[in-house]
Amino acid sequence: MKKIILLLALALAFTGSFAQQHKTQNVVIVTIDGLRWQEVYRGADSAIINSNDTRDKEDVRKKYWKATAQDRRKTLMPFFWSVLEQQGQLYGNRDLGSKDEVANPYHFSYPGYNEIFTGFPDKRMNTNDPITNPNMNLLEFLNKQKGFENKVATFASWERFTQILNAPRSGMLINAGFMPLAIPGMNDRLKHLNELQFEAPRYISDSTRIDFITFELAKNYMMQYKPRALYLSFDEPDDLAHAGNYQFYLDRIQQEDGFIKQIWDYIQTDPMYKNKTTLIITCDHGRGDVPLKNWHDHGSETPNSEQTWFAVLGPDSPATGEMKSTVTTYHKQLAQTIANLLGFDFKAAAGHEVGDAIGSVTQGK
């Protein structure tokens, strides 16, 4: 009994100590819908390049094929495999024994995003339909904290985030899909982007905005309004995978790696953000792999689509690069992990189950 009390006291002391010493004052969260861990850690897949899912095989080989996985992944995602590998942490490379997964049994978007932001795999959240999420989410929680009021914002390509993050209740800025951005004092660049989004091609769907517009809105909002918590959600890789278009899937991955680089480069130039901001990047679900055509799909009937990944880069996270621990991490742990980085305890305030924080994010092992 005395040992248990001592361990609890040490755990509380560590938590309190980190809350006082943390350097993270801002957070940027980026999700890339449906991006497989295989492309993140191995680069372009030769089997898919050589299949009917790649129309211009020679062009794809020229752009993305290299002899080793290390060279292929750096060609596909140069920011990940330079800055993030050297200065951050990367989870979910199963070739090294690192396993990251969603805990929800559904393996598609709404349940995946609910898990990330509420901290638990609510079985009621089992649809992509426009059902308002009853659960408290991390961003809503942050928007209520001192110094974060009206300093939390979401920019998403997929319209469903108004329901996933419960826009009516949360009161925070959520700009999702083809939604007008109406903020007092917007500069000319934001006004122009706001108009441009309605003129841009709608090659995904009538409800999903292209990721370029989402990125530009988020970046320029960040530069003008300086949010302390910014969430940026990309969508196109998932849509192109469903369409079986491997060439465009790879192109969008590379483009979005470049978008993330631009955000990080800006963070390094602004005194409000530099050395005070943690960047978290992840996905909402994995994809199938065997048989080959299963890379198009995900869901409870698609084996291995629970397999995911995430990356962290910031002043409180030791630069350990690719993680090799065999302890499986789950996306239900991300909400409390992010809250702890900012010195908060989301788990105590959520009013529902929340996964424990991932200790290695701050301890490095």
Side-chain angles (χ1 to χ4, degrees), residues 136-242:
M136 168 74 77
N137 68 74
L138 171 69
L139 298 175
E140 179 182 2
F141 165 77
L142 292 177
N143 197 48
K144 297 176 180 177
Q145 307 310 307
K146 185 177 180 181
F148 283 78
E149 305 96 328
N150 300 314
K151 288 289 183 179
V152 179
T154 292
F155 289 85
S157 295
W158 189 33
E159 66 171 355
R160 193 61 66 239
F161 279 94
T162 55
Q163 290 84 31
I164 295 171
L165 299 176
N166 200 328
R169 187 186 66 204
S170 70
M172 59 189 175
L173 174 63
I174 301 172
N175 181 265
F178 291 95
M179 180 183 293
L181 185 63
I183 307 170
M186 285 196 305
N187 61 30
D188 289 343
R189 175 64 173 165
L190 276 174
K191 290 177 182 176
H192 176 64
L193 287 165
N194 192 31
E195 296 171 358
L196 192 63
Q197 69 170 314
F198 299 105
E199 301 171 10
R202 299 193 179 195
Y203 62 80
I204 302 174
S205 76
D206 284 337
S207 60
T208 303
R209 181 169 60 196
I210 61 172
D211 289 338
F212 170 74
I213 295 292
T214 297
F215 163 68
E216 286 291 333
L217 284 167
K219 180 184 72 172
N220 284 277
Y221 177 87
M222 185 182 190
M223 294 170 69
Q224 181 175 356
Y225 293 97
K226 303 292 194 295
R228 293 193 60 187
L230 177 66
Y231 172 42
L232 180 52
S233 175
F234 296 130
D235 187 81
E236 291 177 39
D238 185 64
D239 293 285
L240 292 164
H242 282 304

Side-chain angles (χ1 to χ4, degrees), residues 300-317:
S300 58
E301 302 300 316
T302 304
N304 300 328
S305 58
E306 77 283 357
Q307 298 175 1
T308 46
W309 57 272
F310 77 95
V312 182
L313 175 62
D316 293 306
S317 299

